């Protein structure tokens, strides 16, 4: 399934979200991912467990979407994805379709139109003597009404002998206790550890997204598409709900995973990292709480449930050049451009995912704006995967991807992930000495399952592989010549996005 990132529209593609559209004017300018973390995503390939074709998705952050493929986009001999070009057998993502939604960042800022057209007050009509008289009578009536009302209140107050049926709260709203297990309790605990991120490129383009405190050293986890504009000498700031604003720098970013880590400059000493949950234990129907800055409205809290798990999602940056794949958590908590990078919490306040993309209509929002909003289909990167990626970025500054060492077609189909007969750039479709070669896989083989997960397309396979770490052993089921075979395979490693 494809989706759009919270803020940037994503181009149509197998398991990929729709393309971003212009977002309404927001408090902060939005550009690419960093400008609108919730972006529409292109149509995605059939659900891994279902077979029905997935919806278009967009990033829920700044305006841009990402989708990376094992061999689908142009990649070197090592199997690492490179800048996309016409790939063999239906490479993905396809050309971006107009009107695709944006990432769920804070909505594209800049010269975008307002929510509605301005209202021009009609010219006043000439006054007449009678009109003035009517006005005088109305004023007199209003004054009399005011006096009567005041008198009535006084009489009622004086005659109140304690028989009134009106009840008053014993405590003011500010002293009400909010239990830890309630939404209000979770929000009070989590909000101080979330930030609104503003990213701006050297050319002045940028957008708004969200992030959350990862450790006491000042590291903040967010989406790659949220901070992409600030990666090359751009400007990056993070603002806490109490109004304190800090300059920040990008520590590392992973386009394929759509995860990034930034670090606050002169970070405060009282940072409280959010508790990380276990996304593998999440169940459909569990309550969810999302925090973000939809359309620039910082510190917004929304609720919902886990609607589905292991949802194959692919999203791109809108240009079709950089893509990301995930086996996502699906939620109906309202997620919009600007929510990208924000935490998806469980009922106890533990982070179970990073809000990254939404399925959205392409008609635009209120007032005829071009950026789409939530329709109750949001997608988050499972925190177990994001945690591993963040730790790698903090440690080395570069992402490490698991790989099988074979190029697969990114064609949108339901038959499985087919190993291409020709690799990108003339390379071998099956890397010599790589994991796939050692397992006996050959060009033309169609992979239909990875462990117990059904594989219906190349993007679905990539998303599932990237939920694992290099060195993990997996069971591959594939078809060759009408026969089904099963083989054990140890995943290899690829460092970096290029």
């Amino acid at each position: 399934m494809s989706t759009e990132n919270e803020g940037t529209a994503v181009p149509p593609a197998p398991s990929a979200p729709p393309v971003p559209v212009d977002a309404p004017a927001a408090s902060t300018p939005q550009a690419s991912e960093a400008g609108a973390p919730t972006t529409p995503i292109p149509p995605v390939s059939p659900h891994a467990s279902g077979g029905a074709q997935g919806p278009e998705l967009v990033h829920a952050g700044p305006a841009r979407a990402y989708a990376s493929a094992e061999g689908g986009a142009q990649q070197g001999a090592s199997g690492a994805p490179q800048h996309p070009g016409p790939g063999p057998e239906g490479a993905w993502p396809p050309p971006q379709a107009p009107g695709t939604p944006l990432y769920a960042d804070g909505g594209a800022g800049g010269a975008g139109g307002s929510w509605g057209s301005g209202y021009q007050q009609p010219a006043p009509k000439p006054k007449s003597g009678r009109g003035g008289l009517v006005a005088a009578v109305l004023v007199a009536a209003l004054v009399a009404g005011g006096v009567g009302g005041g008198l009535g209140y006084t009489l009622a107050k004086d005659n109140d002998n304690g028989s009134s049926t009106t009840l008053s709260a014993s405590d003011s709203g500010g002293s009400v206790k909010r239990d830890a297990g309630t939404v209000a309790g979770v929000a009070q605990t989590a909000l101080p550890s979330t930030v609104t991120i503003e990213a701006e490129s050297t050319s002045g383009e940028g957008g708004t997204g969200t992030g959350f405190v990862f450790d006491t050293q000042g590291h903040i986890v967010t989406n790659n598409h949220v901070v992409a504009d600030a990666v090359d000498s751009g400007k990056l700031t993070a603002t806490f709900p109490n109004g304190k604003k800090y300059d920040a720098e990008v520590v590392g970013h992973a386009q394929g995973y759509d995860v990034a880590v930034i670090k606050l400059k002169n970070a405060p000493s009282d940072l409280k990292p959010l508790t990380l949950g276990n996304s593998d234990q999440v169940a459909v129907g569990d309550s969810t709480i999302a925090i973000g800055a939809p359309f620039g409205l910082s510190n917004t809290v929304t609720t919902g449930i886990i609607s589905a798990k292991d949802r194959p999602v692919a999203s791109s940056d809108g240009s079709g050049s950089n893509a990301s794949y995930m086996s996502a958590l699906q939620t109906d908590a309202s997620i919009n451009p600007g929510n990208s990078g924000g935490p998806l919490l469980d009922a106890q306040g533990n982070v179970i995912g990073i809000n990254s993309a939404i399925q959205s209509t392409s008609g635009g929002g209120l007032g005829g704006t071009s950026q789409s909003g939530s329709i109750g289909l949001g997608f988050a990167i499972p925190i177990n995967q994001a945690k591993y990626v963040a730790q790698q970025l903090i440690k080395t500054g570069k992402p490490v991807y698991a790989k099988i060492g074979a190029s697969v077609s990114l064609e949108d189909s339901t038959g499985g992930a087919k190993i291409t007969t020709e690799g990108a750039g003339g390379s071998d479709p099956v890397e010599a000495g790589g994991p796939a070669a050692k397992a006996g896989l050959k060009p033309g083989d169609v992979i239909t399952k990875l462990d117990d997960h059904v594989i219906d397309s190349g993007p679905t396979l990539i998303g599932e592989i990237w939920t694992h770490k290099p060195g993990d052993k997996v069971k591959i089921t594939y078809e060759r010549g009408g026969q089904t075979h099963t083989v054990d395979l140890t995943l290899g490693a690829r460092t970096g996005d290029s």
Side-chain angles (χ1 to χ4, degrees):
M1 159 185 308
S2 78
T3 60
E4 45 180 328
N5 291 73
E6 304 169 13
T8 306
V10 183
S15 301
V19 181
V21 289
D22 292 313
S27 59
T28 54
Q30 173 173 343
S32 62
E33 277 192 307
T38 309
T39 303
I41 305 171
V44 185
S45 58
H47 182 281
S49 62
Q53 184 167 348
E56 271 191 310
L57 306 181
V58 277
H59 285 295
R64 101 181 44 216
Y66 297 87
S68 40
E70 175 80 22
Q74 285 188 357
Q75 61 185 44
S78 65
Q82 298 179 1
H83 295 297
E89 301 193 16
W92 186 92
Q96 183 170 348
T100 305
L102 308 173
Y103 288 113
D105 305 13
S114 61
W115 283 107
S117 58
Y119 169 75
Q120 179 153 356
Q121 183 173 357
K125 296 181 180 180
K127 297 181 179 179
S128 64
R130 183 180 178 188
L133 177 60
V134 173
V137 173
L138 290 176
V139 169
L142 289 175
V143 171
V147 173
L151 179 61
Y153 169 77
T154 301
L155 293 176
K157 181 176 183 295
D158 291 341
N159 293 329
D160 186 359
N161 296 319
S163 59
S164 173
T165 58
T166 301
L167 300 178
S168 300
S170 59
D171 296 320
S172 65
S175 62
V176 174
K177 180 180 180 180
R178 292 177 173 83
D179 295 333
T182 64
V183 173
V186 170
Q188 286 185 333
T189 300
L191 276 169
S193 296
T194 62
V195 296
T196 298
I197 298 172
E198 294 179 44
E200 184 178 314
S201 66
T202 53
S203 63
E205 296 180 341
T208 302
T210 308
F212 61 91
V213 177
F214 187 69
D215 59 28
T216 57
Q217 284 70 51
H219 291 109
I220 304 292
V221 172
T222 184
N223 282 140
N224 171 70
H225 71 263
V226 170
V227 303
D229 284 323
V231 168
D232 297 320
S233 303
K235 182 180 179 181
L236 195 64
T237 62
T239 305
F240 285 85
N242 61 9
K244 291 185 178 180
K245 191 172 189 176
Y246 298 86
D247 289 331
E249 59 185 354
V250 178
V251 172
H253 61 108
Q255 293 176 350
Y257 291 123
D258 197 16
V259 173
V261 175
I262 65 175
K263 187 174 184 180
L264 305 178
K265 296 179 180 179
N266 300 315
S269 60
D270 59 349
L271 289 175
K272 295 182 179 180
L274 290 182
T275 302
L276 305 185
N278 185 345
S279 52
D280 290 341
Q281 295 180 354
V282 171
V284 173
D286 282 351
S287 297
T288 57
I289 301 170
I291 299 179
F295 297 103
L297 301 174
S298 301
N299 315 316
T300 295
V301 177
T302 56
T303 63
I305 63 169
I306 291 293
S307 306
K309 295 179 59 177
D310 304 321
R311 187 71 80 187
V313 170
S315 58
S316 89
D317 59 2
S319 67
S321 59
N322 296 315
S324 64
Y325 294 106
M326 58 179 141
S327 183
L329 296 176
Q330 180 181 321
T331 180
D332 65 348
S334 182
I335 296 175
N336 287 286
N339 276 108
S340 277
L344 182 67
L345 310 169
D346 62 18
Q348 288 70 47
N350 303 309
V351 181
I352 55 175
I354 299 178
N355 301 317
S356 301
I358 60 172
Q359 164 65 30
S360 183
T361 57
S362 58
L366 298 174
T369 57
S370 57
Q371 182 160 358
S372 302
S374 172
I375 59 172
L377 294 172
F379 303 90
I381 301 169
I383 194 60
N384 288 8
Q385 177 181 351
K387 176 183 178 182
Y388 162 72
V389 177
Q391 290 172 335
Q392 288 291 328
L393 293 177
I394 292 173
K395 182 178 180 180
T396 67
K398 295 182 178 180
V400 178
Y401 298 90
K403 69 172 186 176
I404 64 171
S407 297
V408 296
S409 172
L410 295 180
E411 192 174 45
D412 189 9
S413 67
T414 58
K418 183 178 181 180
I419 298 179
T420 59
T421 56
E422 181 180 343
S427 62
D428 293 333
V430 177
E431 178 186 342
K438 291 179 179 179
L441 295 175
K442 299 179 179 180
D445 289 347
V446 179
I447 298 174
T448 57
K449 291 182 68 176
L450 189 152
D451 289 332
D452 294 328
H453 294 277
V454 175
I455 302 300
D456 53 27
S457 67
T460 301
L461 175 63
I462 297 166
E464 285 298 332
I465 289 174
W466 286 355
T467 63
H468 292 77
K469 301 176 183 178
D472 284 353
K473 292 183 179 180
V474 297
K475 182 169 292 186
I476 299 291
T477 300
Y478 65 96
E479 295 180 354
R480 177 190 298 170
Q483 300 295 317
T484 299
H485 306 272
T486 300
V487 65
D488 291 329
L489 180 152
T490 300
L491 297 173
R494 172 175 64 81
T495 301
D497 282 309
S498 58

